[in-house]
Amino acid sequence: HAPQINGVTPVRFVIEAMGLTDSGGKRIGVDLLSHLSAHPRHDFVLLIPDLPEYGQIEGANIKAIRRPVPKALWARHWLLSRTVPQICRREYADALLGLGNFVPRNPNCPAAVLLQNAHLVNPELFGGTQLRLRELLIHAYGRYHYRHLPAAICVVVQTEVMKERVCARLGIDSRRVLVIPPGPLVESKISDTCAPDPAPAASRAFTFLCMSRYYVHKNIEILAAAMTRLPLYTKIAAQCLITISADQHPRAAALLKTISCGGVANPVVNLGPIDPARIGDVYRSADAYILPTLLETYSLTYDEAMHFGLPIATSARDFAQQRLGDA
């Protein structure tokens, strides 16, 4: 009920971003929250992970509450069902924005939740043998709470494909699902930090790049098989760069072990996780981008590859076709 300022009513937001701890989710979260100080008419209370990437988020209209990342599902449930509502009450929040896929219980104010986990609306794509029990429990927990969505909450997704799936698989009315792509912030971030290179060096092997953390649905194992078979179709020397680490998943460790068995001549080269400051250099070292993923909600790497002028080889699935159009 604050008075309007130049026709705009000030709003006090609580933003819960505890789930944005790695990969594209963390990049979106840090980028979004870093821009909040440019909106001084509103106040923002941020519940964020105690990670270095979030350390520089500050502003006169920002109050940051940093907490250790909840590791267990019960801790995440407690955060959403107890801690977040308590913060909303204590801070007299006008609205809550949840950025971590899960639905808060009884938020005490109107709320919007960003849903980026496509597993919650695509349970049939992966058998139980491919996902760990913890992953299956997380997905079941998420689906249950979306199917019992409180009336005060709407859902934000990044593409029309994701909206269609949310409505069909979770039974949510389409009027409660908003499509908001992250485009403008992401594009400005890429342009500010990563200038494209006009041409790669002709003296080295043709280089494919798969810029991705390891997830089962990314289907990265197929790259090792594909690169092994590639000499049957061309005499051009080629290599494929990947960016995973063994601690990201048990299957990531198995894949890296398989790659290491090929020795220095292996056509698949693991660079490990890439520091954001080096992203431009890695893209400039490649001739083409390849992403054999089976499941996505958006994928920032499509934007990055197009920014650097790389041709893209990716899965012929609806999410990719909608994102890339006739590119």
Side-chain angles (χ1 to χ4, degrees):
H1 302 289
Q4 289 192 346
I5 301 176
N6 295 330
V8 177
T9 301
V11 176
R12 187 167 181 80
F13 292 93
V14 168
I15 301 181
E16 185 274 309
M18 292 298 296
L20 304 184
T21 58
D22 55 53
S23 195
K26 180 169 65 176
R27 291 171 60 192
I28 288 176
V30 171
D31 202 32
L32 172 64
L33 301 182
S34 298
H35 283 75
L36 297 180
S37 60
H39 301 274
R41 296 175 181 173
H42 307 294
D43 293 321
F44 303 93
V45 179
L46 311 182
L47 182 58
I48 53 179
D50 190 14
L51 298 174
E53 293 85 349
Y54 290 93
Q56 301 303 314
I57 296 174
E58 56 186 18
N61 61 335
I62 293 175
K63 176 180 179 180
I65 302 173
R66 293 177 169 83
R67 296 284 183 88
V69 178
K71 300 295 185 181
L73 184 57
W74 68 265
R76 184 81 172 133
H77 176 74
W78 182 269
L79 176 85
L80 292 167
S81 61
R82 296 297 181 91
T83 305
V84 171
Q86 287 173 357
I87 291 175
C88 289
R89 283 194 298 269
R90 187 180 70 218
E91 298 294 338
Y92 301 100
D94 298 304
L96 167 69
L97 174 60
L99 297 178
N101 288 308
F102 291 142
V103 176
R105 305 305 300 169
N106 303 316
N108 308 309
C109 61
V113 177
L114 175 62
L115 176 54
Q116 300 183 86
N117 188 338
H119 283 280
L120 302 187
V121 291
N122 294 271
E124 76 284 356
L125 283 182
F126 303 97
T129 57
Q130 291 184 291
L131 293 177
R132 292 175 291 177
L133 177 60
R134 180 176 183 272
E135 294 168 321
L136 293 172
L137 290 174
I138 289 173
H139 301 157
Y141 173 89
R143 282 192 290 270
Y144 173 84
H145 287 287
Y146 275 104
R147 286 171 177 151
H148 297 81
L149 193 67
I153 298 178
C154 68
V155 180
V156 177
V157 296
Q158 297 165 306
T159 64
E160 290 291 341
V161 167
M162 190 65 175
K163 177 176 179 176
E164 293 169 7
R165 290 179 176 166
V166 166
C167 296
R169 306 293 174 85
L170 300 178
I172 300 175
D173 190 309
S174 62
R175 292 170 294 184
R176 301 178 66 187
V177 183
L178 310 176
V179 179
I180 306 178
L185 290 181
V186 172
E187 289 168 6
S188 66
K189 193 76 169 179
I190 294 173
S191 300
D192 289 345
T193 60
C194 309
D197 190 25
S203 59
R204 56 166 170 74
F206 188 96
T207 300
F208 294 96
L209 169 65
C210 180
M211 179 82 76
S212 175
R213 179 183 171 88
Y214 187 94
Y215 294 103
V216 171
H217 64 268
K218 296 292 186 178
N219 198 25
I220 296 176
E221 285 86 354
I222 203 173
L223 294 177
M227 294 303 295
T228 300
R229 295 182 59 187
L230 193 59
L232 300 175
Y233 302 95
T234 179
K235 294 182 179 180
I236 299 174
Q239 63 177 347
C240 183
L241 308 179
I242 62 175
T243 59
I244 68 175
S245 65
D247 61 354
Q248 291 171 352
H249 194 279
R251 290 182 58 174
L255 174 59
L256 292 178
K257 183 177 181 180
T258 299
I259 292 173
S260 66
C261 291
V264 295
N266 197 301
V268 179
V269 179
N270 182 43
L271 303 179
I274 304 299
D275 185 281
R278 291 188 55 233
I279 287 178
D281 294 333
V282 176
Y283 276 101
R284 282 189 288 269
S285 73
D287 300 290
Y289 186 72
I290 187 165
L291 187 65
T293 180
L294 302 174
L295 191 61
E296 293 295 327
T297 56
Y298 189 81
S299 184
L300 296 174
T301 60
Y302 288 146
D303 293 301
E304 293 168 347
M306 287 189 283
H307 174 75
F308 287 97
L310 297 182
I312 298 173
T314 192
S315 312
R317 292 179 176 254
D318 54 3
F319 56 82
Q321 291 162 343
Q322 184 180 88
R323 287 276 287 108
L324 300 175
D326 59 359

